[in-house]
Amino acid sequence: MTMLYRVGVQLEGLDAVIIGQSNIVGRPMALELLAARCTITVCHSRTRDLPAKARGADLLVAAIGKARFVPGDWVKPGAVVIDVGINHLPDGSLCGDVDFEAAAENASWITPVPGGVGPMTVATLLENTLQAAEMHAQP
């Protein structure tokens, strides 16, 4: 959410699709986007016509844990794409849940893997730790 706010994405009213319903990413992200006044669709392994649902997203969050699961043609032109996945390929390289190169052709903004959500998570954790330490140190 911090990343979306910092780059100036106006969330209110967007149709957001989250691919993945984990307790770690999918469900909390759905609640955060709902609080930001998005309309939410959470997709999972039994979702019918997943490609059509993804193509309707103004904001697409991929958190399914499968390398390059989301092809570029699932991305609506102008959509914002957040790739939370981190997958190891046989050659040892890393990739996300989205086919970055193909999706980038349609997306207005997309997070890379590596170098996107991961470093932002670490930065936010450090920020929260610092805030907690400062609160604890106050008399």
Side-chain angles (χ1 to χ4, degrees), residues 124-139:
T124 302
L125 175 63
L126 291 172
E127 180 181 43
N128 291 343
T129 302
L130 179 60
Q131 279 181 339
E134 288 171 346
M135 288 175 16
H136 181 72
Q138 292 179 4

Side-chain angles (χ1 to χ4, degrees), residues 30-53:
L31 292 174
E32 289 290 333
L33 290 171
L34 189 60
R37 309 298 288 157
C38 292
T39 300
I40 310 300
T41 302
V42 179
C43 301
H44 46 75
S45 63
R46 299 293 185 260
T47 297
R48 292 185 186 147
D49 201 2
L50 180 57
K53 289 194 176 25

Side-chain angles (χ1 to χ4, degrees), residues 95-120:
C95 73
D97 292 350
V98 177
D99 181 350
F100 182 87
E101 288 77 20
E105 292 180 19
N106 288 332
S108 64
W109 195 80
I110 185 170
T111 59
V113 175
V117 173
M120 189 72 222

Side-chain angles (χ1 to χ4, degrees), residues 1 4 11 13-20 25-43 53 57-61:
M1 293 301 293
L4 290 168
L11 295 171
L14 294 184
D15 287 321
V17 173
I18 301 166
I19 301 176
V25 177
R27 293 175 190 197
M29 192 70 191
L31 292 174
E32 289 290 333
L33 290 171
L34 189 60
R37 309 298 288 157
C38 292
T39 300
I40 310 300
T41 302
V42 179
C43 301
K53 289 194 176 25
D58 300 313
L59 171 61
L60 181 61
V61 179

